Amino acid sequence: MTVLDRVRSTPRATAAKKVGGASGLGLVFAAVATVVWSGSFVASRALHDSVPPIQAAFWRWLIAIAAVAPFAGREAWRQRTLIRRHLGFLTLASLLGIAVYNTLVNQAGTSTSAGNMGMIMAASPVLMAVHERLTGDRLGARRTVGLLVAVAGVLLLVSKGSLDLALAPGDLWMVAAALSFTSYSVLLKRRPAELGALAFLFTTFVLGALMLAPVYGVSLAVQGGFAATPGTVGPLLYVGVLSSAVAFFAWNKAIALIGAARAGVVYYLQPVCVALLSYPLLGEATSPAQLVCMALILGGVVLGSRR
């Protein structure tokens, strides 16, 4: 055995290799979630004039529950004691990440473009960095500058460059959605280690659907239902199966492997993915002003997410 082989076989080298592998896998999971969620903004925009936002959110989670139940139902039943013990945490995670966040995204889609939705959500990694600062971590000069640049990009985007506070309602809904998603992502760091990923996913889906059920009933009574056509069922299946079951599982795994801040770095791919999808599917072209805002937001995210 050569000296190099002995070095590679030491416990320290083996541990470093495992850490590097976990880091790479975490980035892959974050990328999968980001790409799939980019499509969900396009789907939400496609449903804006045919399915009320609350009804779209409720059916999304019913479909997601049906999609994950064959894989997660048994694990959730085995861990029912743990679920009861951590019900408070699970309820808060369900409220932020399931009931509130996705309903706000659907509401935003009624009055703003998919491109704007994706660009506003791209500021989430900077919001995660702000949370770190509030909990005692130092941001440093680079991350602080990145935060300010990204916030400037978001303000220019949602105010159409005028900064006169005449903001589009959909943009404001999307800012609220970004805050909710950030809170959910940060909360994931406190997920009980003994609670399985599938059990966690299934439980939060069920709790989120239960929270939405009363509001769904009100929406049906006031707004009426929607027609089940390929134009409504197709997007709902996408957000229910891919954007919910697949993307949330991938994002939760990414958080567990590399943390919210590092997973958030990958999120800057989202505006590009949304722009690539929204033009052929929705006919939404990206304007020069949006490109400037995208550059500011992405540049700020890159700076704000680096240590």
Side-chain angles (χ1 to χ4, degrees):
M1 179 181 291
T2 66
V3 174
L4 182 58
D5 289 334
R6 286 197 296 271
V7 170
R8 287 175 175 170
S9 63
T10 60
R12 182 177 296 179
T14 302
K17 187 175 181 180
K18 288 182 178 179
V19 170
S23 178
L25 187 60
L27 292 174
V28 169
F29 277 123
V32 170
T34 298
V35 172
V36 174
W37 273 333
S38 298
S40 72
F41 294 140
V42 176
S44 295
R45 181 63 177 160
L47 293 171
H48 79 279
D49 59 354
S50 56
V51 182
I54 291 293
Q55 296 183 35
F58 181 73
W59 277 102
R60 168 181 183 158
W61 297 116
L62 284 189
I63 294 169
I65 290 168
V68 302
F71 310 100
R74 186 174 299 178
E75 180 179 292
W77 177 252
R78 286 199 306 266
Q79 295 193 322
R80 60 189 182 278
T81 302
L82 278 173
I83 291 172
R84 285 196 297 268
R85 184 186 307 164
H86 300 290
L87 190 59
F89 169 84
L90 291 167
T91 300
L92 181 58
S94 302
L95 177 67
L96 293 172
I98 307 302
V100 173
Y101 165 63
N102 292 280
T103 302
L104 290 174
V105 169
N106 293 339
Q107 184 63 43
T110 64
S111 53
T112 194
S113 68
N116 274 23
M117 294 163 72
M119 281 186 277
I120 292 171
M121 277 302 298
S124 294
V126 176
L127 297 176
M128 295 175 196
V130 172
H131 183 275
E132 289 184 4
R133 181 65 185 90
L134 294 176
T135 54
D137 291 348
R138 293 181 62 84
L139 290 179
R142 176 181 292 175
R143 302 185 80 188
T144 301
V145 170
L147 183 153
L148 295 175
V149 171
V151 169
V154 172
L155 288 176
L156 286 171
L157 176 70
V158 300
S159 65
K160 308 296 188 292
S162 64
L163 295 182
D164 61 357
L165 299 183
L167 308 180
D171 295 333
L172 292 177
W173 286 118
M174 205 62 218
V175 170
L179 291 171
S180 181
F181 178 76
T182 298
S183 300
Y184 170 78
S185 295
V186 171
L187 187 66
L188 286 180
K189 296 197 305 185
R190 297 166 55 188
R191 194 192 90 191
E194 65 273 21
L195 185 61
L198 288 175
F200 172 81
L201 202 68
F202 182 73
T203 304
T204 54
F205 286 1
V206 171
L207 290 174
L210 289 174
M211 292 176 191
L212 288 171
V215 193
Y216 172 75
V218 173
S219 176
L220 276 181
V222 175
Q223 300 172 293
F226 61 91
T229 66
T232 57
V233 174
L236 286 175
L237 287 174
Y238 179 91
V239 297
V241 177
L242 295 179
S243 296
S244 301
V246 175
F248 268 83
F249 177 80
W251 185 255
N252 293 351
K253 289 290 289 184
I255 298 293
L257 289 169
I258 59 176
R262 289 196 65 197
V265 175
V266 183
Y267 218 64
Y268 75 83
L269 292 171
Q270 188 159 254
V272 179
C273 295
V274 174
L276 291 174
L277 291 171
S278 60
Y279 180 70
L281 296 177
L282 301 176
E284 293 182 356
T286 303
S287 68
Q290 285 179 312
L291 289 175
V292 173
C293 294
M294 183 187 297
L296 285 172
I297 295 170
L298 299 188
V301 167
V302 172
L303 285 173
S305 300
R306 296 173 67 181
R307 293 190 180 277

